[in-house]
Amino acid sequence: DNIPAGEASIPSNIGYKWTIPTIDAVVGSKLRVKVFQTGKPTEVFSTSQNDFTILGSITLTGEAVGGVSQPEAWYAGTTENISWTKVGNIGNIKIYYSTTATPDYTNPIVTGYTGSSPYPWPIPSDIAIERNSNIRIQVASETYSGIKSESTDPLILQARLVLTDPDSLKTLYVSQTGGYDISWRTYGSIPSVKLYYDT
């Protein structure tokens, strides 16, 4: 293929800065470049002496990027989509998250993932987080260590409470013998709670 496709010729006394097109066809490990005199491809030419590799790429997209496009928070015990775009065959995908201001990506979300984007992350109900505003996501190739993409800005991950009883259909009575049980589910790390009522 021409570099760039469709361009007839360039001056012969300078180099050329190649912007690699974002198509799967150029991704591989047995690539070479040929330069030749315009109109004489088999007479005056030179080719790469060895194969070289062009790797694919992956780019994190959507809310996991962080910044202005993010929601107020992601919550423990819910499911959030982690999305990306990719070019070329990048092998299996792994997704990690970091909880520190200086990202370390030591917390696995999924490894060996062969599916497509997005990955629905079921945020664990017992995740050890009360409220953390330093959450960042990294999506990466397991095959090629250099292919990865990370959140540009931090996300917020927060614990939550879901009141289960009394619900909207229940009637409570004054001075009921034994009182009433108020119950809730806790998602994430919440050390203590307060209970109020409103009339």
Side-chain angles (χ1 to χ4, degrees), residues 15 23 43 49 62 89 98 103 121 154 175:
I23 56 174
E43 298 170 32
Q49 297 301 304
N89 179 7
S98 174
W121 179 26
S175 300

Side-chain angles (χ1 to χ4, degrees), residues 83-107:
S83 304
W84 62 89
T85 58
K86 72 180 185 75
V87 175
N89 179 7
I90 62 171
N92 292 351
I93 288 173
K94 59 182 178 179
I95 305 173
Y96 281 73
Y97 70 96
S98 174
T99 60
T100 57
T102 302
D104 56 12
Y105 302 110
T106 57
N107 305 289

Side-chain angles (χ1 to χ4, degrees), residues 5-97:
E7 185 167 322
S9 63
I10 58 175
S12 63
N13 60 345
I14 61 171
Y16 182 78
K17 187 177 290 295
W18 182 27
T19 301
I20 301 172
T22 55
I23 56 174
D24 288 358
V26 299
V27 177
S29 59
K30 296 188 177 295
L31 287 92
R32 296 190 181 202
V33 169
K34 177 179 180 180
V35 59
F36 57 88
Q37 182 179 342
T38 304
K40 299 182 178 182
T42 60
E43 298 170 32
V44 182
F45 67 91
S46 180
T47 61
S48 303
Q49 297 301 304
N50 298 292
D51 294 338
F52 64 90
T53 299
I54 295 179
L55 297 177
S57 64
I58 192 166
T59 304
L60 194 63
T61 61
E63 292 178 352
V65 173
V68 296
S69 65
Q70 74 177 22
E72 179 182 345
W74 284 3
Y75 292 93
T78 64
T79 298
E80 296 290 346
N81 284 331
I82 298 173
S83 304
W84 62 89
T85 58
K86 72 180 185 75
V87 175
N89 179 7
I90 62 171
N92 292 351
I93 288 173
K94 59 182 178 179
I95 305 173
Y96 281 73
Y97 70 96

Side-chain angles (χ1 to χ4, degrees), residues 60-74 133-137 150-156:
L60 194 63
T61 61
E63 292 178 352
V65 173
V68 296
S69 65
Q70 74 177 22
E72 179 182 345
W74 284 3
S133 58
N134 291 315
I135 303 298
R136 291 179 190 261
I137 307 294
E150 302 166 357
S151 302
T152 55
D153 294 292
L155 299 158
I156 298 169

Side-chain angles (χ1 to χ4, degrees), residues 105-126:
Y105 302 110
T106 57
N107 305 289
I109 293 174
V110 65
T111 59
Y113 184 65
T114 58
S116 59
S117 173
Y119 174 78
W121 179 26
I123 303 172
S125 299
D126 59 352

